[in-house]
């Protein structure tokens, strides 16, 4: 008999989540039936959407949602032999049983030298988010200027690098000086600390006096209201995330965006990466190739221990992560 540890939502978050809002539970797993397999989480992903979904889709007592890289430890399903690694969407659990549906095998070409946790980051959902957001939503073209915020995070750091690979000028901002130094190391043309800049308006003008063709927005709120005034005519804005608003109990108020949208004839489109699920495999291969060639660099903020899932999640919301936040069980 296997006992799984799981983290559940004890109490709905108010503002920034607290460790006391989570509860660790033990669940005895039944014996496998024909067609089933038992999986053990190796790496679990820590993502901002968990905060957003908690208030929209969860009730107290529900297991926290999320994806993991997991190893098959027992199998009565011929498609998954013992030792096979998969990406699963089974929430904050150490062990779980699956009938195989929805499990995604790691690409057979996965190099031994790369950590499998990258399947939750640069060669996973965040990588695809950066790729499709830039190419399909921003419709970025070589020679254009791209602005990205939360730029030292999982998605943002890839947005900037992909834009550089495709011959654009890139401006990024992040919330600490070490993060800004990291962006420069990654090859961003301009980078600044939005927390210490005396004026966001001035920092955006200085970084690109001619304005921005594309804005990959991970943050929303006040940052977006200021940035929109720096768009070039016919600029495109990909609304990827609004992390500055996820902890709000009371919705933020204006300034409102309609006037600059009209005068600059902007396009602004929200998106969810799963729109391009049918192209996922093909584009994961591109991301993996760029990583192997050294064109795309990655950094992971690895927290050790399943018991530290809540701390890693809270830390990410506070900006403590550089690159992709993951937990190693
Ligand atoms: P990150 O790795 O970027 O981690 C979150 C970062 O957000 C923190 O490190 C912090 O960096 C920044 N942040 C936190 N609070 C604020 C705030 N109040 N104002 C400005 N920045 C803040 O996370 P991801 O890369 O996983 O996600 C980035 C965004 O993309 C999120 O909004 C997420 O919801 C969204 N997303 C959307 C997807 C989609 O399909 N649309 C898919 C995946 C992610 P700093 O120190 O710089 O402040």
């Amino acid at each position: 008999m296997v006992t799984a540890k799981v983290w559940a939502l004890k109490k709905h978050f108010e503002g920034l989540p607290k460790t006391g809002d989570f509860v660790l539970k033990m669940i005895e797993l039944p014996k496998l039936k024909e067609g089933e397999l038992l999986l053990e989480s190796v790496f679990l992903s820590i993502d901002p959407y968990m905060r957003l979904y908690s208030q929209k889709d969860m009730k107290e007592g529900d297991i926290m949602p999320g994806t993991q890289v997991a190893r098959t430890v027992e199998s009565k399903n011929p498609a998954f032999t013992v030792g096979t690694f998969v990406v699963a969407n089974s929430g904050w659990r150490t062990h779980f049983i699956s009938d195989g549906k929805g499990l995604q095998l790691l690409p057979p070409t996965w190099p031994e030298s790369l950590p499998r946790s990258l399947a939750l980051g640069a060669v996973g959902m965040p990588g695809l988010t950066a790729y499709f957001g830039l190419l399909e939503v921003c419709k970025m073209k070589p020679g254009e200027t791209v602005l990205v915020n939360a730029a030292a995070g999982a998605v943002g750091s890839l947005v900037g690098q992909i834009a550089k690979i495709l011959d654009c000028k890139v401006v990024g901002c992040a919330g600490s000086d070490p993060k800004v130094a990291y962006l420069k190391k990654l090859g961003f043309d301009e980078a600044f600390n939005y927390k210490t800049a005396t004026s966001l308006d001035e920092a955006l003008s200085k970084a690109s006096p001619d304005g921005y063709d594309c804005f990959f927005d991970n943050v929303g709120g006040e940052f977006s209201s200021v940035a929109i005034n720096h768009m070039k005519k016919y600029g495109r804005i990909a609304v990827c995330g609004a992390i500055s608003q996820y902890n709000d109990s009371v919705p933020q108020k204006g300034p409102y965006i309609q006037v600059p949208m009209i005068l600059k004839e902007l396009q602004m489109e929200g998106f969810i990466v799963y729109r391009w699920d049918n192209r996922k495999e093909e584009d994961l291969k591109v991301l993996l190739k760029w990583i192997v060639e050294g064109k795309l660099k990655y950094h992971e903020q690895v927290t050790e221990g399943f018991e530290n899932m809540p701390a890693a999640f809270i830390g990410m919301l506070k900006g403590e992560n550089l690159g992709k936040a993951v937990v190693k069980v």
Side-chain angles (χ1 to χ4, degrees):
M1 192 74 84
V2 173
T3 305
K5 289 185 205 164
V6 306
W7 278 107
L9 180 71
K10 183 174 169 195
K11 194 174 150 299
H12 267 294
F13 307 126
E14 284 167 28
L16 183 70
K18 299 179 282 302
T19 46
D21 298 333
F22 302 86
V23 58
L24 186 63
K25 295 183 181 173
M26 306 287 170
I27 298 179
E28 298 254 303
L29 298 182
K31 282 201 172 135
L32 291 188
K33 297 198 214 79
E34 268 325 300
E36 289 184 337
L37 59 154
L38 172 67
L39 295 126
E40 169 183 74
S41 300
V42 183
F43 293 102
L44 294 115
S45 186
I46 297 290
D47 297 279
Y49 74 81
M50 296 163 177
R51 175 66 182 91
L52 186 61
Y53 283 14
S54 71
Q55 69 208 38
K56 294 199 179 302
D57 297 325
M58 287 179 73
K59 50 186 190 318
E60 289 173 359
D62 284 353
I63 294 173
M64 289 296 294
T67 51
Q68 56 266 91
V69 170
R71 193 176 72 89
T72 309
V73 286
E74 205 186 318
S75 181
K76 291 194 174 180
N77 182 326
F80 300 91
T81 50
V82 170
T84 307
F85 285 89
V86 299
V87 176
N89 187 12
S90 292
W92 294 18
R93 306 171 193 258
T94 54
H95 297 82
F96 52 99
I97 289 174
S98 164
D99 60 6
K101 288 198 193 89
L103 296 180
Q104 180 203 324
L105 289 165
L106 259 64
T109 51
W110 195 274
E112 274 300 311
S113 57
L114 286 187
R116 293 189 177 89
S117 47
L118 286 193
L120 303 173
V123 194
M125 183 276 279
L128 294 171
T129 304
Y131 189 89
F132 291 122
L134 274 176
L135 296 178
E136 300 296 331
V137 185
C138 278
K139 300 189 171 57
M140 183 194 76
K141 294 186 279 299
E144 290 190 324
T145 303
V146 177
L147 170 65
V148 57
N149 48 18
V155 174
S157 59
L158 300 170
V159 167
Q161 293 185 80
I162 294 172
K164 284 308 300 172
I165 292 172
L166 301 175
D167 289 328
C168 286
K169 173 179 170 174
V170 179
V171 176
C173 67
S176 73
D177 292 346
K179 288 188 180 186
V180 169
Y182 176 64
L183 298 182
K184 299 222 169 112
K185 201 169 126 192
L186 290 181
F188 281 55
D189 297 282
E190 300 286 339
F192 66 90
N193 180 343
Y194 72 94
K195 287 188 180 163
T196 54
T198 40
S199 150
L200 180 56
D201 214 29
E202 278 172 25
L204 289 171
S205 291
K206 190 167 164 238
S208 180
D210 297 338
Y212 300 89
D213 301 281
C214 302
F215 171 27
F216 194 109
D217 190 7
N218 287 317
V219 167
E222 198 191 333
F223 188 103
S224 313
S225 308
V226 176
I228 205 165
N229 293 308
H230 291 263
M231 297 303 293
K232 290 187 190 173
K233 187 113 174 154
Y234 310 119
R236 286 91 59 201
I237 302 170
V239 183
C240 174
I243 196 163
S244 69
Q245 296 167 244
Y246 295 170
N247 285 323
D248 289 347
S249 314
V250 180
Q252 295 176 24
K253 293 229 164 123
Y256 300 102
I257 56 171
Q258 286 78 7
V259 171
M261 290 284 298
I262 298 163
L263 296 179
K264 289 167 183 274
E265 300 189 58
L266 303 176
Q267 285 183 40
M268 182 184 229
E269 183 180 344
F271 72 97
I272 295 178
V273 60
Y274 303 117
R275 195 195 299 180
W276 298 279
D277 251 4
N278 59 337
R279 288 173 47 190
K280 187 164 99 172
E281 278 187 29
E282 173 197 333
D283 292 299
L284 285 176
K285 278 188 201 147
V286 175
L287 292 164
L288 184 56
K289 182 169 169 285
W290 280 338
I291 297 257
V292 171
E293 290 171 353
K295 289 185 180 161
L296 207 51
K297 306 265 189 289
Y298 63 88
H299 188 276
E300 296 179 301
Q301 192 75 44
V302 183
T303 302
E304 298 270 344
F306 184 74
E307 66 282 9
N308 292 319
M309 291 287 296
F313 179 55
I314 296 165
M316 178 275 299
L317 291 172
K318 285 161 71 179
E320 288 169 4
N321 61 306
L322 179 69
K324 175 72 187 118
V326 290
V327 168
K328 184 172 187 295
V329 178

